[in-house]
Amino acid sequence: CFLHEKTTAGRPDATRLDTRFLGKDSTTPPFDGFLMDPALSFLEDPAQVTSLAGALRRRIDDAPDFELIAAGPLSITCFRYRPQPLAADAARVDELNRRVLAVVQDAGDVFLTGTELAGRFALRACILNFRTEDADLDTLLRAIRAAGERLVSA
């Protein structure tokens, strides 16, 4: 399903789903074979996207203002923007990341979602498109960092 409705702030409202994209049981896509058909998939080379996900994780580990929260063997990486002045205050870091997500989504330069893991809000990057390149990882982290810096200084 896809987020479709917008709030008055102009960003997707996670409480409203566009159910036109759900199957008759309201939980599955109406085109059950679509997601599994390699001819229709954006994921042409699984090794490429898992390699890029690993590169993203290394960048996050190397950056003092990011925190890796969860990383599995596939292309999903969960992390947080955690600037040093707020690092000790988990609640403020959660709120900052919620706001960073909204700013990044509104800008539309990169695609990013959020999730809650072990009671902490995290940013969630999932690399699937075969056109994703190493430079796109830098673009993603720059967009998050710029949004975070603006919000912290405001």
Side-chain angles (χ1 to χ4, degrees):
C1 61
F2 297 91
L3 295 175
H4 191 68
E5 301 292 323
K6 292 195 176 226
T7 65
T8 55
R11 52 190 178 110
D13 181 350
T15 63
R16 297 183 187 190
L17 299 176
D18 187 340
T19 56
R20 293 176 297 162
F21 297 102
L22 294 176
K24 59 183 173 250
D25 65 355
S26 296
T27 60
T28 59
F31 313 109
D32 289 341
F34 178 78
L35 297 176
M36 299 308 292
D37 184 349
L40 300 175
S41 176
F42 277 77
L43 183 57
E44 289 191 357
D45 183 359
Q48 176 194 3
V49 296
T50 55
S51 173
L52 285 168
L56 176 60
R57 294 170 192 146
R58 286 187 295 281
R59 283 172 169 80
I60 291 166
D61 277 338
D62 292 343
D65 54 347
F66 284 96
E67 171 187 26
L68 185 64
I69 300 294
L74 300 176
S75 65
I76 298 172
T77 302
C78 296
F79 60 101
R80 298 175 355 141
Y81 174 68
R82 191 185 66 180
Q84 203 56 22
L86 302 180
D89 189 338
R92 286 184 66 197
V93 172
D94 283 348
E95 178 57 28
L96 174 62
N97 278 272
R98 283 185 176 88
R99 294 174 61 208
V100 164
L101 178 62
V103 170
V104 169
Q105 286 178 334
D106 283 346
D109 297 324
V110 296
F111 184 76
L112 187 66
T113 61
T115 191
E116 188 113 358
L117 293 172
R120 296 185 293 177
F121 184 80
L123 303 172
R124 180 182 174 275
C126 181
I127 302 167
L128 292 176
N129 194 310
F130 67 94
R131 291 184 182 105
T132 303
E133 298 178 350
D134 199 62
D136 296 322
L137 307 177
D138 296 323
T139 300
L140 172 67
L141 295 180
R142 269 195 311 272
I144 294 166
R145 184 176 284 124
E149 288 172 350
R150 281 194 310 274
L151 290 167
V152 168
S153 68

